[in-house]
Amino acid sequence: MKPNILVTREVFDETLAYLSQHCEVEANQQDMAFSPDALVQRLAGKDGVMCSLTDRIDAGLLSACPQIRAVANIAVGYNNIDLAACTARGVMATNTPGVLDDSTADLAWALMLATARRMTEVEGRIRAGEWTGWKLKQWLGVDVHHATLGIIGMGRIGQVIAKRAMGFDMKVIYSNRKRVAPDIEQRLNATYVSRDELLKQADFVVLQVPYSPETHHLIGAAELKAMKPTAILINSTRGGVVDDAALIAALTNGTLRGAGLDVFENEPKLNPGFLQLKNVVLTPHIGSSTEATRRAMAMTAAKNLVAALTGGTPPNLLNPEVTK
Ligand code: GLV
């Protein structure tokens, strides 16, 4: 008998076709986000779930759905899943690392360039008919090339961001829980520094740490104050890594030049303070959102789920201890 699964949000046709070869699939191609109660109801009798970062998979849900054996997230970040609760119940949990590194790094770069050159602000001015002609001192931005890039979190995506910086002749510094291997540092021309040092030196601070209780408000009022007033902050990792209210205060009183943000606290209800500011570039959590990458993420999650439910070991198993 094929295992029963729920796919909580809309996916691509080829994702469903692959899943249907191996599983009895309940899909949600209308893409209605389920409330926590509706999710529990839909999961009755299901062996596995393919979910997204908008679904909270926690101890309560797992105890209400004790037959669940596998949870496959269509995301690399998995702060929406209580991994300890999965492990305690012997539920395999998976994510989608690797396939989104380049696209997510590209978006961080897009935000860096757009914020430095004030692209959304000046586009708004053109659209509003405010451009009356060329002027020498018009809407001056700052250079990205030859500036100092500080990357907090030098995992896979952080490393791709650093690699792109070579083409811009930037000085790259980074901080990380652990220093990366010397050959990686050498290849990326990146220097390990303390977080305090990074905040003091960087012209662009790019955050690439996962969200967890340890990284909650990693950048708050004190860290923003430690940055150069001419610096730009980029957050394309997860809302909550930055204290958004403190960031709005720093951007409002000019203690920070600008910010490029793809993620926010309480998404999608972002702090309305951001909407009043000209020195921010805002995008709606689209870091990995290219056609090719989202297709690859969905298929990666599908393969993880099928492997978990058909006796295999999923390639991206987050809690291998459950297989022992
Ligand atoms: C997207 O935000 C992801 O974690 O994949």
Side-chain angles (χ1 to χ4, degrees):
M1 236 174 48
K2 286 178 175 176
N4 289 309
I5 63 162
L6 175 71
V7 181
T8 65
R9 301 294 300 267
E10 185 182 10
V11 290
F12 299 95
D13 289 347
E14 77 266 13
T15 328
L16 281 186
Y18 173 77
L19 286 168
S20 301
Q21 286 167 20
H22 305 275
C23 306
E24 290 301 331
V25 183
E26 180 175 330
N28 176 18
Q29 293 299 83
Q30 302 80 10
D31 206 32
M32 301 274 291
F34 297 131
S35 68
D37 286 347
L39 187 55
V40 167
Q41 277 172 22
R42 298 277 177 160
L43 283 173
K46 302 290 189 299
D47 303 294
V49 56
M50 194 159 120
C51 59
S52 79
L53 51 85
T54 58
D55 303 305
R56 175 105 205 107
I57 309 290
D58 57 17
L61 179 139
L62 292 174
S63 75
C65 310
Q67 74 293 346
I68 292 280
R69 292 187 280 130
V71 174
N73 214 30
I74 314 178
V76 65
Y78 51 91
N79 54 297
N80 57 309
I81 297 175
D82 183 338
L83 191 58
C86 286
T87 306
R89 292 192 158 268
V91 174
M92 292 192 215
T94 65
N95 68 339
T96 63
V99 291
L100 46 64
D101 296 350
D102 281 295
S103 301
T104 308
D106 284 355
L107 198 270
W109 265 92
L111 287 173
M112 233 157 74
L113 290 164
T115 310
R117 302 302 296 270
R118 304 168 62 173
M119 290 188 50
T120 52
E121 178 198 348
V122 294
E123 187 191 349
R125 292 188 187 277
I126 289 188
R127 288 179 189 270
E130 288 176 28
W131 188 31
T132 51
W134 188 93
K135 290 188 195 151
L136 187 68
K137 295 191 344 189
Q138 199 166 43
W139 299 317
L140 302 174
V142 287
D143 286 324
V144 174
H145 67 84
H146 296 93
T148 297
L149 170 61
I151 301 174
I152 301 183
M154 198 56 139
R156 268 187 307 260
I157 299 171
Q159 290 178 27
V160 181
I161 293 170
K163 185 173 150 200
R164 308 262 189 281
M166 286 183 195
F168 285 77
D169 297 308
M170 296 182 93
K171 175 177 170 187
V172 178
I173 55 179
Y174 77 97
S175 72
N176 201 37
R177 258 179 320 172
K178 283 209 313 245
R179 192 168 173 167
V180 300
D183 61 309
I184 298 177
E185 282 189 357
Q186 213 170 19
R187 181 161 46 79
L188 298 174
N189 200 14
T191 305
Y192 183 66
V193 294
S194 68
R195 194 187 308 147
D196 287 351
E197 202 48 49
L198 182 145
L199 293 172
K200 231 190 296 175
Q201 285 187 29
D203 300 304
F204 294 86
V205 173
V206 176
L207 303 173
Q208 210 49 70
V209 291
Y211 180 72
S212 70
E214 292 75 49
T215 59
H216 178 74
H217 287 185
L218 183 78
I219 302 295
E223 291 73 24
L224 292 163
K225 193 152 169 243
M227 290 171 66
K228 294 179 181 178
T230 51
I232 284 172
L233 178 70
I234 304 298
N235 186 11
S236 51
T237 180
R238 275 291 182 276
V241 173
V242 176
D243 177 342
D244 284 354
L247 177 58
I248 290 166
L251 291 165
T252 305
N253 49 36
T255 53
L256 191 70
R257 177 187 292 272
L261 305 169
D262 187 46
V263 289
F264 306 88
E265 292 189 280
N266 308 315
E267 286 174 23
K269 289 196 186 85
L270 66 164
N271 188 318
F274 284 124
L275 304 177
Q276 310 304 318
L277 294 169
K278 292 256 190 289
N279 51 346
V280 291
V281 174
L282 310 172
T283 53
H285 204 145
I286 54 163
S288 60
S289 191
T290 67
E291 168 110 25
T293 295
R294 287 284 165 90
R295 283 185 190 275
M297 288 166 69
M299 193 53 93
T300 300
K303 290 193 170 159
N304 280 322
L305 188 56
V306 168
L309 295 177
T310 56
T313 302
N316 309 115
L317 185 58
L318 292 164
N319 50 354
E321 54 276 37
V322 301
T323 60
K324 301 214 169 96

